[in-house]
mmCIF file with all atom_site columns, all heavy atoms in Angstrom:
data_model
loop_
_atom_site.group_PDB
_atom_site.id
_atom_site.type_symbol
_atom_site.label_atom_id
_atom_site.label_alt_id
_atom_site.label_comp_id
_atom_site.label_asym_id
_atom_site.label_entity_id
_atom_site.label_seq_id
_atom_site.pdbx_PDB_ins_code
_atom_site.Cartn_x
_atom_site.Cartn_y
_atom_site.Cartn_z
_atom_site.occupancy
_atom_site.B_iso_or_equiv
_atom_site.pdbx_formal_charge
_atom_site.auth_seq_id
_atom_site.auth_comp_id
_atom_site.auth_asym_id
_atom_site.auth_atom_id
_atom_site.pdbx_PDB_model_num
ATOM 1  N N   . LEU F 1 106 ? -113.129 -82.745 -34.758 1.00 0.00 ? 123 LEU F N   1
ATOM 2  C CA  . LEU F 1 106 ? -113.379 -81.520 -35.460 1.00 0.00 ? 123 LEU F CA  1
ATOM 3  C C   . LEU F 1 106 ? -112.032 -81.027 -36.095 1.00 0.00 ? 123 LEU F C   1
ATOM 4  O O   . LEU F 1 106 ? -111.133 -80.685 -35.310 1.00 0.00 ? 123 LEU F O   1
ATOM 5  C CB  . LEU F 1 106 ? -114.025 -80.437 -34.613 1.00 0.00 ? 123 LEU F CB  1
ATOM 6  C CG  . LEU F 1 106 ? -115.282 -80.831 -33.946 1.00 0.00 ? 123 LEU F CG  1
ATOM 7  C CD1 . LEU F 1 106 ? -115.782 -79.736 -33.047 1.00 0.00 ? 123 LEU F CD1 1
ATOM 8  C CD2 . LEU F 1 106 ? -116.316 -81.357 -34.918 1.00 0.00 ? 123 LEU F CD2 1
ATOM 9  N N   . LEU F 1 107 ? -111.973 -80.876 -37.435 1.00 0.00 ? 124 LEU F N   1
ATOM 10 C CA  . LEU F 1 107 ? -110.690 -80.449 -38.078 1.00 0.00 ? 124 LEU F CA  1
ATOM 11 C C   . LEU F 1 107 ? -110.854 -78.961 -38.423 1.00 0.00 ? 124 LEU F C   1
ATOM 12 O O   . LEU F 1 107 ? -111.876 -78.605 -39.180 1.00 0.00 ? 124 LEU F O   1
ATOM 13 C CB  . LEU F 1 107 ? -110.413 -81.276 -39.204 1.00 0.00 ? 124 LEU F CB  1
ATOM 14 C CG  . LEU F 1 107 ? -109.226 -80.826 -40.116 1.00 0.00 ? 124 LEU F CG  1
ATOM 15 C CD1 . LEU F 1 107 ? -107.895 -80.802 -39.440 1.00 0.00 ? 124 LEU F CD1 1
ATOM 16 C CD2 . LEU F 1 107 ? -109.176 -81.682 -41.370 1.00 0.00 ? 124 LEU F CD2 1
ATOM 17 N N   . CYS F 1 108 ? -110.045 -78.146 -37.930 1.00 0.00 ? 125 CYS F N   1
ATOM 18 C CA  . CYS F 1 108 ? -110.086 -76.664 -38.220 1.00 0.00 ? 125 CYS F CA  1
ATOM 19 C C   . CYS F 1 108 ? -109.012 -76.314 -39.232 1.00 0.00 ? 125 CYS F C   1
ATOM 20 O O   . CYS F 1 108 ? -107.866 -76.475 -39.031 1.00 0.00 ? 125 CYS F O   1
ATOM 21 C CB  . CYS F 1 108 ? -109.790 -75.827 -36.956 1.00 0.00 ? 125 CYS F CB  1
ATOM 22 S SG  . CYS F 1 108 ? -110.973 -76.346 -35.685 1.00 0.00 ? 125 CYS F SG  1
ATOM 23 N N   . GLY F 1 109 ? -109.497 -75.814 -40.409 1.00 0.00 ? 126 GLY F N   1
ATOM 24 C CA  . GLY F 1 109 ? -108.515 -75.373 -41.471 1.00 0.00 ? 126 GLY F CA  1
ATOM 25 C C   . GLY F 1 109 ? -108.212 -73.898 -41.338 1.00 0.00 ? 126 GLY F C   1
ATOM 26 O O   . GLY F 1 109 ? -108.876 -73.160 -40.720 1.00 0.00 ? 126 GLY F O   1
ATOM 27 N N   . HIS F 1 110 ? -107.015 -73.608 -41.896 1.00 0.00 ? 127 HIS F N   1
ATOM 28 C CA  . HIS F 1 110 ? -106.589 -72.174 -41.875 1.00 0.00 ? 127 HIS F CA  1
ATOM 29 C C   . HIS F 1 110 ? -106.041 -71.927 -43.354 1.00 0.00 ? 127 HIS F C   1
ATOM 30 O O   . HIS F 1 110 ? -106.163 -72.740 -44.221 1.00 0.00 ? 127 HIS F O   1
ATOM 31 C CB  . HIS F 1 110 ? -105.534 -71.898 -40.897 1.00 0.00 ? 127 HIS F CB  1
ATOM 32 C CG  . HIS F 1 110 ? -105.955 -71.013 -39.861 1.00 0.00 ? 127 HIS F CG  1
ATOM 33 N ND1 . HIS F 1 110 ? -105.801 -69.606 -39.881 1.00 0.00 ? 127 HIS F ND1 1
ATOM 34 C CD2 . HIS F 1 110 ? -106.812 -71.202 -38.739 1.00 0.00 ? 127 HIS F CD2 1
ATOM 35 C CE1 . HIS F 1 110 ? -106.329 -69.075 -38.843 1.00 0.00 ? 127 HIS F CE1 1
ATOM 36 N NE2 . HIS F 1 110 ? -106.970 -69.999 -38.058 1.00 0.00 ? 127 HIS F NE2 1
ATOM 37 N N   . TYR F 1 111 ? -105.504 -70.724 -43.544 1.00 0.00 ? 128 TYR F N   1
ATOM 38 C CA  . TYR F 1 111 ? -104.981 -70.335 -44.842 1.00 0.00 ? 128 TYR F CA  1
ATOM 39 C C   . TYR F 1 111 ? -106.121 -70.561 -45.943 1.00 0.00 ? 128 TYR F C   1
ATOM 40 O O   . TYR F 1 111 ? -107.268 -70.121 -45.761 1.00 0.00 ? 128 TYR F O   1
ATOM 41 C CB  . TYR F 1 111 ? -103.708 -71.150 -45.186 1.00 0.00 ? 128 TYR F CB  1
ATOM 42 C CG  . TYR F 1 111 ? -102.840 -71.281 -44.127 1.00 0.00 ? 128 TYR F CG  1
ATOM 43 C CD1 . TYR F 1 111 ? -102.507 -72.475 -43.352 1.00 0.00 ? 128 TYR F CD1 1
ATOM 44 C CD2 . TYR F 1 111 ? -102.059 -70.121 -43.700 1.00 0.00 ? 128 TYR F CD2 1
ATOM 45 C CE1 . TYR F 1 111 ? -101.744 -72.449 -42.328 1.00 0.00 ? 128 TYR F CE1 1
ATOM 46 C CE2 . TYR F 1 111 ? -101.163 -70.185 -42.539 1.00 0.00 ? 128 TYR F CE2 1
ATOM 47 C CZ  . TYR F 1 111 ? -100.953 -71.329 -41.955 1.00 0.00 ? 128 TYR F CZ  1
ATOM 48 O OH  . TYR F 1 111 ? -100.138 -71.395 -40.960 1.00 0.00 ? 128 TYR F OH  1
ATOM 49 N N   . GLU F 1 112 ? -105.780 -71.102 -47.028 1.00 0.00 ? 129 GLU F N   1
ATOM 50 C CA  . GLU F 1 112 ? -106.817 -71.254 -48.107 1.00 0.00 ? 129 GLU F CA  1
ATOM 51 C C   . GLU F 1 112 ? -107.420 -72.625 -48.031 1.00 0.00 ? 129 GLU F C   1
ATOM 52 O O   . GLU F 1 112 ? -108.089 -73.107 -48.975 1.00 0.00 ? 129 GLU F O   1
ATOM 53 C CB  . GLU F 1 112 ? -106.232 -71.024 -49.482 1.00 0.00 ? 129 GLU F CB  1
ATOM 54 C CG  . GLU F 1 112 ? -105.405 -69.800 -49.565 1.00 0.00 ? 129 GLU F CG  1
ATOM 55 C CD  . GLU F 1 112 ? -106.262 -68.561 -49.329 1.00 0.00 ? 129 GLU F CD  1
ATOM 56 O OE1 . GLU F 1 112 ? -107.355 -68.349 -49.849 1.00 0.00 ? 129 GLU F OE1 1
ATOM 57 O OE2 . GLU F 1 112 ? -105.740 -67.699 -48.559 1.00 0.00 ? 129 GLU F OE2 1
ATOM 58 N N   . GLY F 1 113 ? -107.306 -73.314 -46.919 1.00 0.00 ? 130 GLY F N   1
ATOM 59 C CA  . GLY F 1 113 ? -107.890 -74.661 -46.800 1.00 0.00 ? 130 GLY F CA  1
ATOM 60 C C   . GLY F 1 113 ? -106.866 -75.784 -46.678 1.00 0.00 ? 130 GLY F C   1
ATOM 61 O O   . GLY F 1 113 ? -105.662 -75.419 -46.420 1.00 0.00 ? 130 GLY F O   1
ATOM 62 N N   . VAL F 1 114 ? -107.266 -77.003 -46.691 1.00 0.00 ? 131 VAL F N   1
ATOM 63 C CA  . VAL F 1 114 ? -106.273 -78.112 -46.551 1.00 0.00 ? 131 VAL F CA  1
ATOM 64 C C   . VAL F 1 114 ? -106.177 -78.911 -47.739 1.00 0.00 ? 131 VAL F C   1
ATOM 65 O O   . VAL F 1 114 ? -107.110 -78.869 -48.581 1.00 0.00 ? 131 VAL F O   1
ATOM 66 C CB  . VAL F 1 114 ? -106.719 -79.045 -45.293 1.00 0.00 ? 131 VAL F CB  1
ATOM 67 C CG1 . VAL F 1 114 ? -107.081 -78.143 -44.182 1.00 0.00 ? 131 VAL F CG1 1
ATOM 68 C CG2 . VAL F 1 114 ? -107.788 -79.936 -45.706 1.00 0.00 ? 131 VAL F CG2 1
#
Side-chain angles (χ1 to χ4, degrees):
L123 305 181
L124 172 61
C125 306
H127 248 262
Y128 314 107
E129 308 303 310
V131 315

